[in-house]
Amino acid sequence: RLRPLNRLQVILQHLNMSTHADSTAEVLLEKKGCAGMITLNRPKALNAINISMIRQIYPQIKTWEQDPETFLIIIKGTGGKAFSAGGDIRAITDAGKVGDRLAQDFFREEYTLNNAIGTCKKPYVALIDGITMGGGVGVSIHGHFRVATEKTLFAMPETAIGKYCLFPDVGGGYFLPRLSGRIGYYLALTGCRLKGRDVLKAGIATHFVDSEKIPALEKDLVALKSPSTENIADLLNSYHAKSKADQDKPFVLDEHMEKINSLFSGNSMEEIVKKLKQDGSAFANKQLETIKRMSPTSLKLALRQLREGASMSLQEVLMMEYRLSQACMKGHDFYEGVRAVLIDKDQAPRWKPATLEEVSDEFVDDCFKPLGNNDLKL
């Protein structure tokens, strides 16, 4: 359960003054025309999502969902660089090291918010203009509409050295295996980044609009009169149709799709690595180099997460991912990845275990086991 908001927040929300009261707030929540507007407002931190933001956004979505005067919900980021580059990993790391509750609460409440977006009864429009990674994907991907621009940079870098050692969470186990072919497995296991129109072509965004047109689109959305989902889709489609940027460029993964579908179809990480080695092409060798740098534990957890998630509901996936998050918090590699990337910045993590072969099936099974009373309840 999410903690109730303190009285001041409730009063501010009730009076709809949160934006005007404090433009330095980490998240701005306001009603504009027919829409509820969520603005992620930590530009210096690339709008990374922390627990206090989650605790403000979740009840507001629930309130707007019940409000007959709110017809859609829009979420966007400030600062021009990022929609949201992820979750507040530094805080979670510090908490996990000392056994603080934040390491449980953050994931529990973040996934509860992801589910609220995925089950939201009102059309939910995410303007993913800029960097959209990790936790930023969680507050956009599960909504009805995701609008990418030429500035969009999408990745699930959780297994990668470039971020930290975890797994592609926030419902990654749900949406990634549902992308065409093995694209989702490839993105999850390599941390590959997609830019601009490729985010649409991969099936992650629903629409593509030129970045400079986003303010006009937002204005037109909030000006709609009692719109239905169809009305909102029509407006997004009209902006999408007018956008010509990179229209004729082929999908960046097109030339590799045959290889991605065959090489990333292995039943185990060892099998995928074997296929990559046997293939021997420049593309396969590049993926092999990338995978070699990653946490073997993360890779094994992520592959199983996606294989199981492919046939689960979003709720079942988030419950599974919560179990995995708590296993990672108890392990070595999460903290080692953060040390190597964020603290010492030597980019040289020493993973334990150091090889895929040393990560036993029993260990992986344990990470997926129910947590009893501590399981995520949705």
Side-chain angles (χ1 to χ4, degrees):
R1 298 233 166 248
L2 293 172
R3 292 179 188 172
L5 294 171
N6 67 42
R7 284 179 66 188
L8 177 61
Q9 282 174 302
V10 172
I11 292 163
L12 282 174
Q13 283 186 1
H14 184 67
L15 294 174
N16 211 358
M17 283 169 51
S18 52
T19 313
H20 313 293
D22 184 7
S23 60
T24 61
E26 293 177 324
V27 58
L28 311 176
L29 303 162
E30 58 189 319
K31 186 77 190 305
K32 276 191 179 176
C34 69
M37 181 76 71
I38 302 165
T39 307
L40 307 174
N41 190 37
R42 296 181 72 204
K44 285 183 181 160
L46 297 178
N47 299 323
I49 292 167
N50 61 29
I51 198 158
S52 79
M53 293 162 79
I54 292 166
R55 287 177 177 167
Q56 292 172 71
I57 295 167
Y58 175 85
Q60 186 64 73
I61 286 176
K62 289 295 178 190
T63 302
W64 281 332
E65 212 173 10
Q66 301 303 319
D67 175 22
E69 297 303 307
T70 302
F71 291 87
L72 77 151
I73 296 170
I74 300 170
I75 186 167
K76 62 176 184 173
T78 54
K81 273 191 181 173
F83 166 69
S84 170
D88 196 346
I89 290 307
R90 215 48 184 285
I92 302 162
T93 308
D94 295 344
K97 279 181 181 167
V98 296
D100 186 279
R101 275 197 61 87
L102 179 66
Q104 297 162 35
D105 292 347
F106 180 86
F107 293 105
R108 188 184 297 277
E109 297 184 34
E110 181 180 33
Y111 299 173
T112 303
L113 172 59
N114 299 153
N115 183 56
I117 292 164
T119 57
C120 189
K121 294 180 183 73
K122 300 281 168 85
Y124 185 97
V125 181
L127 303 175
I128 54 171
D129 182 25
I131 301 165
T132 305
M133 295 186 185
V137 175
V139 293
S140 56
I141 193 80
H142 305 298
H144 300 82
F145 303 109
R146 282 92 58 195
V147 182
T149 74
E150 71 279 10
K151 288 185 183 173
T152 304
L153 176 64
F154 168 93
M156 295 299 281
E158 285 80 0
T159 47
I161 178 177
K163 203 69 171 151
Y164 45 90
C165 161
L166 203 53
F167 55 94
D169 66 335
V170 297
Y174 182 78
F175 80 87
L176 288 166
R178 284 166 173 79
L179 298 177
S180 71
R182 304 298 280 192
I183 287 180
Y185 291 80
Y186 170 69
L187 294 175
L189 299 173
T190 65
C192 168
R193 298 173 170 205
L194 293 175
K195 292 177 185 169
R197 205 176 274 273
D198 288 329
V199 179
L200 172 80
K201 290 176 178 169
I204 292 149
T206 57
H207 294 81
F208 183 91
V209 173
D210 298 341
S211 182
E212 64 181 43
K213 296 285 196 308
I214 289 287
L217 170 61
E218 190 188 308
K219 201 172 161 192
D220 286 348
L221 281 169
V222 303
L224 291 169
K225 299 285 177 247
S226 312
S228 64
T229 305
E230 288 71 30
N231 300 147
I232 294 161
D234 288 345
L235 179 60
L236 292 171
N237 290 342
S238 73
Y239 269 83
H240 175 85
K242 287 181 209 145
S243 171
K244 302 292 180 244
D246 299 335
Q247 203 175 25
D248 303 323
K249 274 172 82 175
F251 178 38
V252 70
L253 297 179
D254 261 354
E255 59 180 309
H256 306 300
M257 271 322 297
E258 208 175 304
K259 283 202 187 298
I260 286 170
N261 290 341
S262 65
L263 299 173
F264 286 85
S265 63
N267 294 328
S268 67
M269 272 315 300
E270 288 89 341
E271 201 182 316
I272 289 172
V273 167
K274 189 178 166 189
K275 281 175 179 259
L276 289 166
K277 282 180 177 165
Q278 284 172 343
D279 184 272
S281 65
F283 176 77
N285 289 339
K286 190 180 168 200
Q287 309 321 312
L288 207 50
E289 282 307 305
T290 300
I291 284 171
K292 271 185 192 164
R293 293 199 300 270
M294 296 186 180
S295 154
T297 303
S298 266
L299 289 166
K300 284 208 168 177
L301 292 183
L303 180 60
R304 174 149 165 202
Q305 169 209 1
L306 266 58
R307 286 171 58 84
E308 295 205 1
S311 58
M312 287 177 166
S313 68
L314 175 60
Q315 290 71 38
E316 288 167 333
V317 165
L318 290 166
M319 286 166 73
M320 166 179 72
E321 291 180 356
Y322 183 71
R323 292 166 185 172
L324 292 177
S325 76
Q326 297 312 292
C328 288
M329 289 292 101
K330 291 191 183 86
H332 163 272
D333 282 6
F334 174 79
Y335 303 99
E336 176 57 12
V338 172
R339 179 206 65 74
V341 176
L342 297 180
I343 299 168
D344 297 344
K345 299 183 180 173
D346 59 18
Q347 311 298 326
R350 293 178 286 279
W351 305 126
K352 285 183 194 171
T355 66
L356 287 168
E357 291 68 28
E358 289 174 88
V359 183
S360 71
D361 291 346
E362 293 74 32
F363 171 80
V364 174
D365 287 344
D366 275 348
C367 295
F368 284 81
K369 278 185 179 158
L371 300 172
N373 289 336
N374 291 325
D375 258 331
L376 176 65
K377 293 160 192 75
L378 293 170

